[in-house]
């Protein structure tokens, strides 16, 4: 019993120490709708920086957009994308969750949050987000492919994965994803 208590104490102190050393993340704080026009302009400039993979510039522009209008959901979503590309998964997830609150009927922030969760191997939560995104846009091939991929990674039943792959083959026009789905379907058929 002493060893269990000592181990619990050590783990508790370690976790508390780690939590205390990290600064909690907060998104940009500003008054809502200070200047939506500035937010949109900065957002468009950030999209250009994202196309060039200039993550630092994109991050700066998106933070400026959110300072102008903290309620501009696309800027939160794209700031999450920038953080994801930078490997800042906690920050990316936070921004995607904020974007989901601001844009509850758009599947993209949910898909993006699911990608983060999949990357950090939180497969159950990732699947829940992909499925929620699919409820909003059921025929979107990207969502079908992502859901199939994470279910394969999690080791789900071949029957469930088979149907997702068949749907993906029927609906997706991207040759690389169709080829991937056909290869995965062939692996399932062999089992």
């Amino acid at each position: 019993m002493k060893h269990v208590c000592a181990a619990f104490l050590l783990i508790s102190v370690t976790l508390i120490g780690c939590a205390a050393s990290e600064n909690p993340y907060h998104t940009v704080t500003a008054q809502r709708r200070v200047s939506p026009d500035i937010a949109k302009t900065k957002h468009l400039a950030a999209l250009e920086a994202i196309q060039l993979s200039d993550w630092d510039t994109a991050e700066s522009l998106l933070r400026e957009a959110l300072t102008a209008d903290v309620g501009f959901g696309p800027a939160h979503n794209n700031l999450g994308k920038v953080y994801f590309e930078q490997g800042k998964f906690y920050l990316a997830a936070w921004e995607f969750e904020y974007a989901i609150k601001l844009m509850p009927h758009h599947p993209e922030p949910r898909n993006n949050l699911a990608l983060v969760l999949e990357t950090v191997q939180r497969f159950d939560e990732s699947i829940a987000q992909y499925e929620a995104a699919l409820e909003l846009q059921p025929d979107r091939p990207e969502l079908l492919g992502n859901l199939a991929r994470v279910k394969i990674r999690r080791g789900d039943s071949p029957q469930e994965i088979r149907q997702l792959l068949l749907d993906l083959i029927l609906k997706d026009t991207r040759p690389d994803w169709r080829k991937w789905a056909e290869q995965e379907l062939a692996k399932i058929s062999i089992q």
Side-chain angles (χ1 to χ4, degrees), residues 4-126:
V4 172
C5 290
F8 177 75
L9 181 61
L10 179 62
I11 291 170
S12 298
V13 169
T14 302
L15 291 175
I16 291 169
C18 289
S21 68
E22 292 181 24
N23 293 327
Y25 177 70
H26 301 285
T27 193
V28 174
T29 55
Q31 292 183 10
R32 186 175 171 96
R33 300 268 181 222
V34 172
S35 182
D37 292 335
I38 291 173
K40 289 177 185 173
T41 300
K42 297 289 184 179
H43 182 253
L44 288 174
L47 292 177
E48 291 177 18
I50 288 170
Q51 289 293 320
L52 299 171
S53 300
D54 184 354
W55 307 121
D56 292 336
T57 300
E59 179 182 354
S60 177
L61 288 165
L62 289 166
R63 292 179 69 74
E64 289 176 32
L66 291 171
T67 298
D69 183 358
V70 74
F72 189 50
H76 284 285
N77 186 58
N78 285 312
L79 184 55
K81 288 180 182 180
V82 167
Y83 287 145
F84 182 80
E85 290 296 330
Q86 294 172 330
K88 300 174 182 175
F89 302 125
Y90 174 81
L91 299 179
W94 202 100
E95 290 297 339
F96 293 139
E97 287 176 355
Y98 203 101
I100 289 167
K101 289 176 187 172
L102 294 171
M103 305 184 313
H105 303 294
H106 294 270
E108 187 176 355
R110 292 184 185 283
N111 180 59
N112 293 336
L113 177 58
L115 286 168
V116 171
L117 294 167
E118 181 182 353
T119 300
V120 298
Q121 298 184 4
R122 292 174 63 175
F123 298 135
D124 295 343
E125 295 166 83
S126 177

Side-chain angles (χ1 to χ4, degrees), residues 143-159:
L143 301 174
L144 285 170
N146 290 345
L147 180 60
R149 183 189 58 238
V150 75
K151 285 182 172 269
I152 290 168
R153 290 185 69 194
R154 187 173 74 170
D156 283 13
S157 75
Q159 294 79 16

Side-chain angles (χ1 to χ4, degrees), residues 180-191:
W180 173 82
E182 289 167 354
Q183 290 170 341
E184 291 299 321
L185 192 57
K187 290 178 191 175
I188 289 173
S189 297
I190 293 171
Q191 295 176 349

